[in-house]
Amino acid sequence: MSSDVTVVLASQSSSRAALLAGAGVAFDKASSGVDEAAVKAGLLGEGASPRDIADALAELKAVKVSMARPGALVIGADQTLDLDGALYDKADSLAEARARLQTFRGRRHRLHAAVVVALDGAPIWRTLESPALTMRPFTDAFLDGYLARNADAALSSVGGYWLEGEGAQLFERIDGDYFAILGLPLLGLLDLLRRYGVLEL
């Protein structure tokens, strides 16, 4: 494949963009325009699991943008949080984030991080990683201080934490791919980009 293949990230996520840029990938960004809440609600109504929802949303974003960007490799990504089979979305308030982190405290949850790459309107590659994260039994005093210092992380990430920041202090154990926890399983994606001549072998 030609090395002038364009890569498009079908996401407005700053963390995903930072991961790609940090790995040396040149790319454009495009919003998919997908109504994620409506799609999630429909899939949940059909009995889809949090894992399936992440995969379906990643594909929908990739394909939708790919149809408008012929010849480009379009990366769609999504991440869902799964606690005992229940799907959690971003908290709407710090009070909700506090209650949620209390629910997660001392328990293990999974982050399902899906990536689908589309070319000319069709998916050509996909991966899904589901790292497991176990929160430590932190005190309410720690939690209140954490939320006071990390309001942005609490409200902008599905779990109420950025693992690359002070959110690391919430955990006692992590099993799985670190990049997937940040929202973009990266190593397989980089391999695909090498195969398409975007990156050097």
Side-chain angles (χ1 to χ4, degrees), residues 14-29:
S14 58
S15 62
R16 291 186 183 115
L19 284 171
L20 271 185
V25 179
F27 62 95
D28 298 336
K29 286 178 70 174

Side-chain angles (χ1 to χ4, degrees), residues 3-153:
S3 61
D4 61 2
V5 174
T6 300
V7 176
V8 179
L9 177 63
S11 171
Q12 295 302 303
S13 164
S14 58
S15 62
R16 291 186 183 115
L19 284 171
L20 271 185
V25 179
F27 62 95
D28 298 336
K29 286 178 70 174
S31 173
S32 67
V34 170
D35 185 342
E36 295 187 40
V39 173
K40 281 182 185 177
L43 290 169
L44 286 170
E46 296 170 3
S49 69
R51 187 182 191 278
D52 292 339
I53 290 170
D55 184 62
L57 279 168
E59 179 174 325
L60 187 60
K61 295 173 191 177
V63 168
K64 188 170 181 183
V65 172
S66 177
M67 290 170 69
R69 296 293 298 267
L73 292 173
V74 179
I75 302 166
D78 195 75
Q79 185 184 63
T80 56
L81 190 151
D82 177 351
L83 178 67
D84 298 335
L87 176 73
Y88 284 80
D89 285 315
K90 293 174 185 174
D92 292 325
S93 66
L94 282 177
E96 185 180 351
R98 185 179 191 274
R100 181 168 301 173
L101 287 167
Q102 287 177 318
T103 299
F104 295 165
R105 178 169 53 191
R107 300 172 70 185
R108 188 174 89 149
H109 65 267
R110 288 193 178 274
L111 291 174
H112 302 294
V115 177
V116 174
V117 176
L119 177 63
D120 296 328
I124 60 165
W125 182 87
R126 70 197 324 122
T127 190
L128 195 149
E129 297 283 346
S130 298
L133 299 88
T134 304
M135 284 197 176
R136 67 182 182 87
F138 47 79
T139 63
D140 283 344
F142 172 83
L143 177 58
D144 290 337
Y146 165 78
L147 289 170
R149 294 184 298 272
N150 297 277
D152 286 347

